Amino acid sequence: GEPIIPERYIKPPSDRPSLNNSPHSDINIPLVDMSGLTDSDHTVREATMNQISIACREWGFFQVVNHGLKPELVDGVREIWREFFHEPMDVKQKYANLPITYEGYGSRLGLQKGAILDWSDYYFLHYLPSSLKDHRKWPDKPSSLREVVEEYSKEIVRLGNVLLEVFSINLGLRHDYLQKTFGGEDVGACLRVNFYPKCPQPDLTLGLSSHSDPGGMTFLLPDENVSGLQVRRNEQWVTVKPVRHGIIVNIGDQIQVISNAIYKSVEHRVIVNPNRERVSLAYFYNPKSDLLIHPAPELITPEAPSLYPSMTFDEYRLFIRTRGPQGKSQVESLKSPR
């Protein structure tokens, strides 16, 4: 209820959001109807594949509808997490995370001492590999949360498998190239649920600092009633307008590396709202953590030499984890000088 936010949340002027209506307020990320991928008409399938290809090359972000997830599941999983964040603090604290594991309930990213904080709480949990999944670390309140999250997770992994195949074909690779590079059935999948409380001074802080996602790709279930996600495009910030029951997909650093920067992960951030809280679910679909990731040999030519060294996802995560969110500087710093 305080009218002034604590000092440790105030961003430097260069990082503060501009909340006035930008000239780009009518722009939105591409919208893809995924039912086109299974249409009996070959031209519809081709057009849908092409839409996804252009979105990956030009935006790094797109929104999907008719993705196969039931509307009641999409609404239900978001609302059950909203209920969790409204539980008394002692219930949430039972699941408090440690910087060393990151799993559980918390509010701070990275290990940097004295870092300016983001205006948000989160809950992080593992789904795949199964060896990391531990239901005891998932909240037991509300009572159906574990069951709903399990069903939602299964559906997101299915969607991830479909899109990896589409990306592979669009890049001119074997249809199963990305799936195999990610570890076949043995991929990583983890969920970060974000809770952004109302903020009395939204022009001084951010819900989530500017960053690109370190993993393979991300499926974001936004809050349909409150916009917050902003995507950097041509040096401008575009505020994403969610569509009903849509899921936002974005390219992560690992796919940027494998595609040799044909597909690029894109900087994004979250602004906060003075009147309304916001809940969103970011599902990270990642390569198996100990497999070497490097540009696909088929995409290397004399004109397009390999831009990145081989590195496992674990090594990359460790590399960025010590520094916290820092725009696109993490993956760009790995590029070979040309």
Side-chain angles (χ1 to χ4, degrees):
E2 293 288 329
I4 291 171
I5 67 174
E7 184 107 356
R8 65 183 182 278
Y9 290 96
I10 298 175
K11 303 288 179 188
S14 59
D15 293 346
R16 291 177 196 169
S18 165
L19 299 179
N20 56 348
N21 280 333
S22 73
H24 302 278
S25 56
D26 56 334
I27 299 175
N28 204 6
I29 59 174
L31 179 64
V32 177
D33 183 340
M34 285 192 68
S35 64
L37 293 175
T38 51
D39 197 287
S40 55
D41 184 336
H42 176 69
T43 53
V44 174
R45 289 201 307 276
E46 285 288 296
T48 308
M49 296 281 285
N50 197 39
Q51 256 190 306
I52 294 172
S53 177
I54 291 167
C56 291
R57 289 165 185 265
E58 296 184 3
W59 277 89
F61 267 83
F62 55 100
Q63 211 162 170
V64 294
V65 290
N66 294 323
H67 38 59
L69 277 80
K70 292 183 294 204
E72 55 271 27
L73 176 61
V74 168
D75 290 338
V77 73
R78 188 196 302 110
E79 292 317 306
I80 208 158
W81 276 108
R82 192 187 302 277
E83 281 181 50
F84 169 77
F85 283 106
H86 284 177
E87 291 283 354
M89 186 52 86
D90 60 327
V91 172
K92 293 185 285 196
Q93 283 295 99
K94 262 181 26 185
Y95 296 97
N97 66 358
L98 300 166
I100 199 157
T101 65
Y102 192 49
E103 191 163 22
Y105 170 73
S107 60
R108 183 176 159 202
L109 278 179
L111 301 173
Q112 207 178 339
K113 292 248 188 299
I116 297 169
L117 298 178
D118 288 337
W119 193 264
S120 59
D121 284 352
Y122 64 79
Y123 201 103
F124 182 87
L125 55 85
H126 290 289
Y127 179 65
L128 290 177
S130 306
S131 58
L132 287 180
K133 180 169 78 173
D134 181 353
H135 275 164
R136 290 169 306 176
K137 293 182 177 174
W138 299 19
D140 58 359
K141 278 188 179 178
S143 58
S144 57
L145 185 143
R146 293 176 181 176
E147 191 186 326
V148 174
V149 171
E150 187 73 44
E151 187 187 349
Y152 181 73
S153 302
K154 217 171 281 178
E155 287 294 298
I156 289 291
V157 170
R158 174 192 59 77
L159 195 54
N161 298 347
V162 169
L163 282 176
L164 277 193
E165 183 167 8
V166 172
F167 294 171
S168 297
I169 294 166
N170 280 342
L171 286 165
L173 302 167
R174 288 189 323 275
H175 74 98
D176 59 352
Y177 183 89
L178 284 172
Q179 192 72 58
K180 284 190 164 162
T181 303
F182 271 48
E185 293 298 300
D186 211 4
V187 297
C190 48
L191 171 64
R192 181 189 146 106
V193 188
N194 304 295
F195 178 72
Y196 305 101
K198 291 186 283 192
C199 178
Q201 295 179 296
D203 52 333
L204 296 183
T205 189
L206 287 168
L208 193 54
S209 297
S210 167
H211 65 290
S212 63
D213 290 344
M217 66 177 136
T218 305
F219 295 94
L220 181 79
L221 178 59
D223 194 317
E224 288 179 356
N225 302 312
V226 192
S227 293
L229 174 66
Q230 292 190 322
V231 174
R232 193 190 272 281
R233 179 161 170 80
N234 303 331
E235 301 311 305
Q236 299 285 343
W237 288 103
V238 173
T239 301
V240 175
K241 291 168 266 308
V243 298
R244 186 136 173 77
H245 298 134
I247 292 177
I248 296 165
V249 182
N250 66 279
I251 299 296
D253 294 346
Q254 303 306 301
I255 285 182
Q256 175 168 323
V257 168
I258 297 166
S259 71
N260 207 33
I262 294 170
Y263 291 175
K264 293 181 182 67
S265 61
V266 170
E267 221 176 313
H268 51 287
R269 68 184 188 183
V270 174
I271 56 174
V272 286
N273 190 293
N275 306 312
R276 306 182 77 173
E277 66 181 35
R278 183 170 172 272
V279 176
S280 68
L281 280 70
Y283 227 113
F284 305 108
Y285 184 104
N286 298 329
K288 187 168 181 281
S289 60
D290 58 355
L291 293 180
L292 278 177
I293 302 295
H294 50 75
E298 296 88 330
L299 302 178
I300 307 303
T301 65
E303 299 73 44
S306 173
L307 292 174
Y308 305 98
S310 289
M311 188 182 273
T312 68
F313 181 43
D314 259 350
E315 288 167 338
Y316 183 70
R317 252 191 309 214
L318 195 62
F319 165 68
I320 66 162
R321 181 120 163 71
T322 53
R323 310 192 320 172
Q326 293 189 3
K328 275 278 286 185
S329 64
Q330 319 275 38
V331 69
E332 297 305 321
S333 68
L334 296 176
K335 270 191 181 172
S336 329
R338 291 178 70 169

